[in-house]
């Protein structure tokens, strides 16, 4: 199973730390996880949080090669507009269910 989290910001934020820990834990359990964040936050580090066990992708990276990924469910982290619009776009591409946190 592959879960794609969509966040509104980088991982060194309140929401990002929650996603970081959840995605790492799911990865340890055998679930493939990716986190999609806005382009301007991709180079922000998570070294103060810990080792990243999942893929961190920019919105543009996910848009460029959608056929290279299988996504079983999208986890939209908050109903913010930037997350809502990206979720709507990717649900159309992957034809998968989604949940809103």
């Amino acid at each position: 199973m592959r879960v794609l989290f969509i966040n509104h910001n980088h991982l060194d934020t309140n929401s990002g730390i929650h996603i970081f820990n959840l995605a790492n834990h799911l990865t340890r359990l055998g679930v493939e996880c990716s986190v999609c964040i806005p382009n301007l936050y991709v180079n922000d580090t998570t070294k103060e949080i810990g080792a990243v066990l999942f893929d961190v992708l920019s919105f543009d990276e996910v848009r460029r090669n959608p056929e290279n990924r299988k996504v079983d469910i999208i986890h939209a982290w908050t109903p913010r507009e930037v997350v809502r619009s990206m979720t709507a776009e990717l649900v159309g591409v992957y034809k998968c269910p989604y949940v809103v946190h």
Side-chain angles (χ1 to χ4, degrees):
M1 170 177 250
R2 179 174 280 278
V3 177
L4 176 64
F5 292 90
I6 301 176
N7 194 26
H8 59 91
N9 212 320
H10 55 86
L11 293 175
D12 193 11
T13 63
N14 190 35
S15 292
I17 291 169
H18 287 272
I19 294 170
F20 173 87
N21 287 303
L22 183 56
N24 266 357
H25 187 67
L26 287 170
T27 300
R28 287 185 197 102
L29 293 173
V31 177
E32 294 180 56
C33 294
S34 296
V35 178
C36 181
I37 58 176
N39 300 334
L40 64 142
Y41 299 119
V42 169
N43 293 323
D44 291 340
T45 64
T46 57
K47 63 184 169 194
E48 292 180 16
I49 304 170
V52 179
L53 303 178
F54 50 86
D55 295 328
V56 178
L57 308 162
S58 71
F59 283 11
D60 282 349
E61 287 175 299
V62 172
R63 286 180 176 126
R64 262 194 305 271
N65 297 308
E67 66 282 349
N68 290 344
R69 294 182 180 9
K70 177 183 179 289
V71 175
D72 296 302
I73 190 163
I74 293 173
H75 187 142
W77 203 273
T78 80
R80 286 177 172 88
E81 179 58 20
V82 67
V83 175
R84 187 211 59 80
S85 62
M86 189 64 177
T87 299
E89 181 180 334
L90 294 180
V91 164
V93 170
Y94 295 120
K95 310 288 188 240
C96 66
Y98 68 94
V99 295
V100 179
H101 182 88

